[in-house]
Structures are given as C-alpha cells and as structure tokens.
Amino acid sequence: MNLPSFFAELKRRNVYKVAITYAVVAWLLIQAASILLPTFEAPAWVMKAFVVLLAFGFVISVMISWAFEATPEGLKRTKDVSPEMSLPSWSARKFGAFIISLALIAAGLFAFQFLRPVGTSRRDVGQIEEGRPGGASLPISQKSIAVLPLLNESGDPKDEYFSDGLSEELIAALAQIKDLKVIGRSSSFRFKDRKEESKTIGEKLGVSTLLEGTVRKQGNKVRIVAELISAADGIELWTQTFNRELEDIFAVQQEIAAAVASSLKATLLGADQRSSANPKTAEAHNAYLQGRYYFQRRNLEDYRKAVGHYDEAIRLDPQYALAYAERSEAWTLIGDLTGEGKTAWPKARIDAEKAVAIAPALAEAHAALGWVRFFTEWRFAEGLSELKRAKELAPANPTANDLLARMIVYLGRLDEAENQGRQAVESDPLAAAPQNNLARILWYEGKLDEADAAARKAAELQPNSASSRRWQVLVAIKRGDSETALPFWSIRC
C-alpha cells in the first residue's frame, strides 16, 4: 500500500473533516447529556448506552465518508462520482472556525457542569421543598449513614439475634464518629427485608450512605461481609470480608467503623474508651445479644426475658457495663408497665450507677443513668447532666437525643427542647417515639398545626400504640374541636 496516496485519498474524500467534526459534535452532545440526564433522573445505564451509540456512530460515519460523496443529486458511491459532480468543500479557514466554535460550546458546558454548586439537582431540590420527617429542610449531608440489618446467613433462624445484635453494635460504634449523622435502630430496622432500592431508603432516612452486609456464625467462628454503598446510585464505596473467632468480634466492629470514617473523611472518637466496656468472654457477649434481641421487641413479657439474659451476661462477666446499662432500662420499663416501680426502679438505679462506675466513658451508661434520674427520681438537673455527657461521648446516639428533648421541656426551655426534638427525629426519622415527643413539645409551644402534623406521623409509624393518638386528641381539644377529639379519646386514650 502506498501510504502517501492513501492519506491523500482520505483527505480528498473528506474523511478527516468528517471524523474531526463528528468527534467534536459527539463531545458536545456528551457534555449536554451529562447535564440534562441527571436533571430528568435518568438511570446510569442511559448515559452509558448513549456513549456506546456515539462510538458506534463514529465508525459508521467514517465508513460512509470513505465510500460515498455528496453531490447536487445526493449521496453517491465515490467511484461513480467525477470531480465536476462533487459539492465544493469548505475552505480550511471556514472548517477551522466551525470546529473551534463547537469546541468552545462544549468547553462551556463542561465548565458549567464542573463549577455549578453541589446539591441543586432536581432530587435535592425536591428534598428541600418536601422536607424530611421532623420538618428538616436541608439537603442530605454527605456525612450521614444508616446501618441496614445484617443478613443472617448461618442457616439457622435462631441466630437472628446475633446478626441483629451486631447491626445495633455497629450503629453504636459509628455513633462515635465526629460530625457523622447515624440513623437509629428503629428507623434502619424498618428496611430489614430490603425490598426498596438504595436510593429510596436513602431518601426516606435522609442519608447519603448505607452500610449493609451478611453474617455467618458457625460454632466459635464468624464471617462478616460489610459493604458501604452510595445511597443515591448504589455504587460500592468500600467492602471487606472478615473471618474471625467470636472473641475478636469487637475488633471487627472497630475496623468497620474506622473504614467508614476513612471513606467519609470523618474522625472516629472514643474507640479506646468504648473497647474498655467490651465483655471478657464470647459467652457473655452472646448472652447480652440475646437480651438485646428480646429487649427490642418492646413488650412486658420480652422485657422480663431480656432481664434473664442480661443476668446471665453479668454472671459470666461481672464487669459488663453495657449489660448493666440495658438491664437498667429494662427494669425502668418493667416498673412503669406493671406499677411495681417501688421494687423495679431501685434495681434500675443500681444497674445504671454500676455501669457508669465500670465504664465512665460509655455513652449508654450515662444515658441509662440520666433516664433513671429523670423518669424514676424526677431529679431533672442531674438527669440532664448525664444525658448531655452521653451525647458528648456519642453525638449521634438516638436515645440520648430523644431523652434530652423530653427532659428539657420540664425545665421550661421550649426553644431548646424543640431544637433537640428535631435533632432526635432527624437521627431516627421513622421511629414513633421521637415524633410523638416532638408533637408534645410543639403542643406546649402552642404550634398546633406543626404539633398535629408530628402527631399524625407518630400515629402512622405506630398505629397500634395506646398513646399513638394522644397528641392529636390534645391538639383537637385545644382547638375546641370535639368532633375530632372524642372518637380518638374513646378508642385510644
């Protein structure tokens, strides 16, 4: 092949000009598509298919420019066209001006995409306009996460307590990360079946990332697969598999928390202090997880079962601070539900004080003691001090946030209570208790419309609770609306 002749023929047939023009126009279209497709929330595969289609079109256009030529009578095969029949081609100057113009337009679109403010997409605008539970109106923070319940892959449904317990402990470990919004257990566990897409879960919980995975427990060995994904598009940000002995489970939790902190460019706090509260044996930890499993079922019979398992955990490890803290919570609730506070509440106080004495840097211990001081002893100032300490140790702890909001009301600081109540809802947006408490605060402030909205949300989240309609009733009474109040009063109150 005579290469000089070949390249001369390419030039004569305008193959160069077609290729350059097509490449510049394709680049222009890609820049436009990268702006418009996200605006219409097109799936990621649409952009990929568009790029592949343009690449295929480039090959076709070059082949056509080689085989055919434009004439006044239309396209004809090049071999059948005499020089006199060809359309006059553009001069080099005109062609250069055309290409430069297209390139400038494409560069402008690229600059617009690169420099435009973050968070102004249609999805983000929708979130700002519609708001999230509790009246939040800010865009979703990039430093926010929900731990979806780890899937039990041991083959035995009886091991569900173990996978659920590890999920909750990961929530607690992530709560040690500075400036990270961590969604509480009540909300994240609503997605245990994982029927929704990651984007839907992220929007409902108001988070940018999700931590999910699997747990396989066999004898004294455990295999954990953890994966951090972007909620918006499901893209994997980090994943790792851990094959360990049960005694090493706490080190795995801290490794996962540290990896999440690194991925989100956040700072992990309190890891050393929290590790000091870990049990000494795997058997004690297993008993604690069983107690935690029953405690979360939220009824009197299961609270009693939970106490039995906590007893076993503490027998196996008398210095197990977390087991003392949660047994304290269980005794507080048992005393409230049975009317046996005189016998149950002193046990709650002893357990909470013991937990703080063993692990003074454990947020759950201070939260338990704060709840005892507030709920059973009515020592609000001391209770407030303990809960503030719990929040300092674990800023994202949903229990501390919720209890703080409840307590501040009794001190008459309604503005502060409302702010704290909204924080509690933001950290656990699909939990009924924070919504109910926010309704109570708003009712005391006289913000009846907002109180009614929060009360309706609480009732929607927990329709069978005895108190699910309480604040709707009280709002209606304050408005003088007996027709609304009476039916709910007779059925629910």
Side-chain angles (χ1 to χ4, degrees), residues 2 46 117 139 146 149 176 300 309:
N2 189 332
V46 175
Q176 310 297 313
L300 179 59
H309 288 292

Coordinates of all heavy atoms in Angstrom, one line a residue, residues 2 46 117 139 146 149 176 300 309:
N2 N 0.5 2.2 -0.9 CA 1.2 3.5 -0.9 C 0.6 4.4 0.1 O -0.5 5.0 -0.1 CB 1.1 4.1 -2.3 CG 2.0 5.3 -2.5 OD1 2.3 6.0 -1.5 ND2 2.5 5.5 -3.7
V46 N -28.5 4.8 30.9 CA -28.8 5.6 29.8 C -27.6 6.3 29.2 O -27.4 6.4 28.0 CB -30.0 6.6 30.1 CG1 -30.2 7.5 28.9 CG2 -31.2 5.9 30.5
P117 N -22.9 24.7 41.6 CA -23.0 24.3 43.0 C -23.5 22.9 43.2 O -24.4 22.5 42.5 CB -23.9 25.4 43.6 CG -23.9 26.5 42.7 CD -23.7 25.9 41.3
P139 N -30.5 19.9 52.6 CA -30.1 18.8 51.7 C -29.4 17.7 52.5 O -28.9 17.9 53.6 CB -29.1 19.4 50.7 CG -29.3 20.9 50.8 CD -29.8 21.2 52.2
A146 N -26.8 5.1 57.4 CA -27.7 4.2 58.0 C -27.2 2.7 57.9 O -26.7 2.3 56.9 CB -29.1 4.2 57.4
P149 N -30.0 -3.8 58.7 CA -29.7 -5.0 59.4 C -28.9 -6.0 58.6 O -29.2 -6.3 57.5 CB -31.2 -5.5 59.7 CG -32.0 -4.3 59.6 CD -31.4 -3.4 58.6
Q176 N -19.7 7.0 67.4 CA -18.5 7.6 67.9 C -17.8 8.5 66.9 O -16.8 9.1 67.3 CB -17.5 6.5 68.4 CG -18.1 5.4 69.2 CD -18.7 5.9 70.6 OE1 -18.0 6.7 71.2 NE2 -19.9 5.6 70.9
L300 N -43.9 -6.3 77.8 CA -43.6 -6.7 79.1 C -43.0 -8.1 79.2 O -41.9 -8.2 79.9 CB -44.8 -6.6 80.0 CG -44.6 -6.9 81.5 CD1 -43.6 -6.0 82.1 CD2 -45.9 -6.9 82.3
H309 N -31.5 -12.8 80.3 CA -30.3 -12.9 79.5 C -29.2 -12.0 80.0 O -28.0 -12.3 80.0 CB -30.6 -12.7 78.0 CG -31.4 -13.9 77.4 ND1 -30.8 -15.1 77.2 CD2 -32.7 -13.9 77.0 CE1 -31.7 -15.9 76.7 NE2 -32.9 -15.2 76.5

